[in-house]
Amino acid sequence: MKKIKLVDLNKQYYFHKKSIDKSINQVIKDSDFINGKSVKKFEAKFRSKLNSKYCITTNNGTDSLFIAMKSLNLKRGQEVITSAHSWISSSSTITQAGGVPVFCDTDPDTFNIDINQLKKKINAKTAGIIAVHLYGQPCDILNIINLAKKKKIWVIEDCAQAHFAKFKNKYTGTFGDIGCFSFFPSKNLGAYGDAGALITNNSKLYKKAYLISKHGGFKKNEHLIEGINSRMDSIQGAVLGFKLKHIKMFNQKRVKIANLYNKLLRGIGDIKTPLLKKNRDHVFHLYVIKTKKRNKLKKYLSKNNILSAIHYPKCLPMLPAYAKYKYKKTEFKNSYKNQKEILSLPIYPELEHSKVKFICKKIREFFY
Ligand SMILES: *Cc1c(COP(=O)(O)O)cnc(C)c1O
């Protein structure tokens, strides 16, 4: 039997091969390789679809976060609060932009930042918050925004896993000062290489972020400041421009798969299926269950040709990169506990429902 992969990008490519090949070829024929026509078109469509005023494409999602913090004028030594449970870009960019990362524990069930813990972390040195919408479920963004307003600090949304997810019918990325996106190939909206973007409604932030990302100039050779080189390749713009037309359908298919998993996994062993909070449209970048038998289940699935993964094996404060801060596990109780129980099951828009049923059958076998 062929392995069931966690994500299979090939299916989508072969399904849309003609259109995708054509748009890539056009870029090559035009020798329009970097920040070209396809990129400009994508930027315009992406921001209008999200109902945001400005969009700047970048080289990757990590750059987007770095550029966002630089645009917000983060000062050396200022603190930025982020989630203890995320991909390292959510914290490494804080250090790289000159700040100090401060980790906040997560809600035990949604894996997103816990608002009560967050309140305790804000002090006179806090410049802002990086609010991550993990796995595709919006975090408690309205409460976070209200808290930030009261404390006069900024909010950057890390939407790398939450393209077109909604909170109270408004898209993630449009609540904070800046919304950051990654188009890493396996993300809900994925390029064929590295790519990213940021969106904002603030014209000053837009101009600043534009300068920082494009060598400090609006025009060639006119460098107003020292910027970095973070542009999107036009081949990525072409691929993303095509995929953007279908993003809502892709997300709907993920939700259907998640619903099927929820139904078939209910009541099996000690499995906890993803908890959906009120007012949110989850886009299921990942489908993550919890079980105390995680490691054994993962092995059992692998023996049965089903690949699963752990996002992420260690919560951020426990990584060697942060050993110097000497954090205690007890400071991040929920994130630390979850890192031992979480398991991501295969999900991508083209995953056949028969395969989901097979996966759930094997999980049932494991527990009985
Ligand atoms: C993927 C990801 C990023 C980084 O995006 P890249 O494009 O890989 O640089 C940042 N934050 C989160 C939560 C991510 O999942």
Side-chain angles (χ1 to χ4, degrees):
M1 204 194 113
K2 260 178 75 178
K3 277 196 188 346
I4 302 180
K5 295 190 213 166
L6 193 74
V7 183
D8 187 344
L9 301 174
N10 246 320
K11 281 192 185 146
Q12 196 174 82
Y13 172 59
Y14 282 106
F15 197 71
H16 300 288
K17 188 175 183 311
K18 246 179 134 172
S19 314
I20 294 175
D21 287 357
K22 198 176 150 212
S23 54
I24 291 176
N25 274 323
Q26 194 58 49
V27 173
I28 301 170
K29 280 185 207 151
D30 293 347
S31 297
D32 182 27
F33 294 111
I34 299 168
N35 204 15
K37 273 201 299 271
S38 65
V39 176
K40 298 277 179 277
K41 251 166 96 178
F42 171 74
E43 279 177 345
K45 289 221 172 95
F46 190 61
R47 69 170 171 73
S48 87
K49 248 188 152 127
L50 286 168
N51 305 316
S52 179
K53 271 198 192 146
Y54 306 102
C55 171
I56 298 166
T57 48
T58 62
N59 197 258
N60 56 68
T62 309
D63 276 4
S64 301
L65 289 165
F66 172 82
I67 293 161
M69 275 180 275
K70 281 292 187 193
S71 309
L72 284 156
N73 233 341
L74 181 65
K75 296 198 181 74
R76 195 153 288 279
Q78 278 189 316
E79 294 181 356
V80 178
I81 306 169
T82 192
S83 175
H85 186 150
S86 186
W87 172 247
I88 191 162
S89 307
S90 310
S91 54
S92 59
T93 49
I94 298 172
T95 312
Q96 283 145 14
V100 178
V102 172
F103 295 103
C104 180
D105 201 11
T106 46
D107 177 277
D109 298 311
T110 66
F111 314 103
N112 277 322
I113 222 161
D114 175 1
I115 189 90
N116 294 313
Q117 295 289 324
L118 179 63
K119 281 178 192 161
K120 293 181 202 161
K121 303 266 173 181
I122 299 174
N123 63 42
K125 278 189 271 179
T126 310
I129 301 164
I130 296 191
V132 186
H133 305 293
L134 201 72
Y135 300 157
Q137 170 152 237
C139 66
D140 206 354
I141 190 68
L142 275 187
N143 282 328
I144 293 174
I145 296 285
N146 287 336
L147 179 63
K149 272 194 187 137
K150 230 190 286 165
K151 303 279 182 182
K152 298 197 165 58
I153 57 178
W154 47 253
V155 177
I156 292 171
E157 292 175 78
D158 183 343
C159 306
Q161 303 189 2
H163 312 75
F164 294 91
K166 284 178 185 170
F167 189 105
K168 282 200 171 166
N169 228 22
K170 186 167 146 69
Y171 289 118
T172 51
T174 61
F175 291 88
D177 296 85
I178 298 178
C180 293
F181 291 83
S182 162
F183 306 118
F184 181 80
S186 64
K187 302 277 158 98
N188 287 33
L189 184 59
Y192 285 174
D194 274 317
L198 56 86
I199 58 169
T200 183
N201 283 327
N202 180 320
S203 66
K204 273 193 191 136
L205 287 176
Y206 164 73
K207 282 179 196 150
K208 191 86 191 284
Y210 187 95
L211 285 178
I212 292 167
S213 66
K214 309 284 180 276
H215 286 302
F218 293 112
K219 286 186 193 150
K220 202 168 178 167
N221 297 323
E222 286 183 25
H223 309 284
L224 306 175
I225 59 169
E226 287 179 328
I228 63 169
N229 175 4
S230 189
R231 301 171 297 208
M232 187 191 272
D233 283 343
S234 307
I235 286 179
Q236 309 312 339
V239 171
L240 290 168
F242 173 75
K243 287 199 184 183
L244 184 60
K245 292 182 197 159
H246 303 286
I247 183 65
K248 287 182 187 169
M249 182 259 287
F250 293 153
N251 279 346
Q252 275 164 12
K253 287 189 168 181
R254 285 175 182 273
V255 172
K256 278 200 177 140
I257 290 165
N259 288 340
L260 185 58
Y261 269 129
N262 285 342
K263 193 174 118 197
L264 298 175
L265 293 177
R266 197 171 298 141
I268 298 182
D270 69 337
I271 287 183
K272 277 197 186 142
T273 53
L275 182 95
L276 280 165
K277 282 258 198 156
K278 257 208 316 216
N279 297 323
R280 290 152 170 89
D281 288 344
H282 194 321
V283 293
F284 288 98
H285 171 57
L286 294 169
Y287 183 86
V288 180
I289 59 167
K290 283 208 291 182
T291 165
K292 293 223 156 61
K293 298 193 175 136
R294 194 269 311 276
N295 291 345
K296 282 188 182 146
L297 174 61
K298 188 170 189 297
K299 266 194 204 135
Y300 183 81
L301 291 175
S302 164
K303 254 194 284 173
N304 284 284
N305 288 315
I306 299 161
L307 300 183
S308 58
I310 301 165
H311 297 93
Y312 300 90
K314 280 195 169 168
C315 59
L316 294 173
M318 296 299 131
L319 288 171
Y322 298 111
K324 64 174 178 190
Y325 292 116
K326 296 194 169 63
Y327 293 119
K328 292 190 206 79
K329 297 163 194 169
T330 46
E331 291 175 70
F332 311 99
K333 242 180 31 213
N334 296 330
S335 307
Y336 184 72
K337 188 164 172 278
N338 281 334
Q339 77 185 31
K340 296 178 178 162
E341 298 181 2
I342 47 176
L343 187 66
S344 308
L345 299 178
I347 193 163
Y348 51 91
E350 299 75 23
L351 179 64
E352 294 96 334
H353 287 199
S354 60
K355 288 200 173 133
V356 176
K357 287 177 190 162
F358 174 76
I359 295 164
C360 294
K361 192 176 128 209
K362 289 293 156 192
I363 295 177
R364 212 176 305 127
E365 262 176 38
F366 170 81
F367 277 98
Y368 289 103

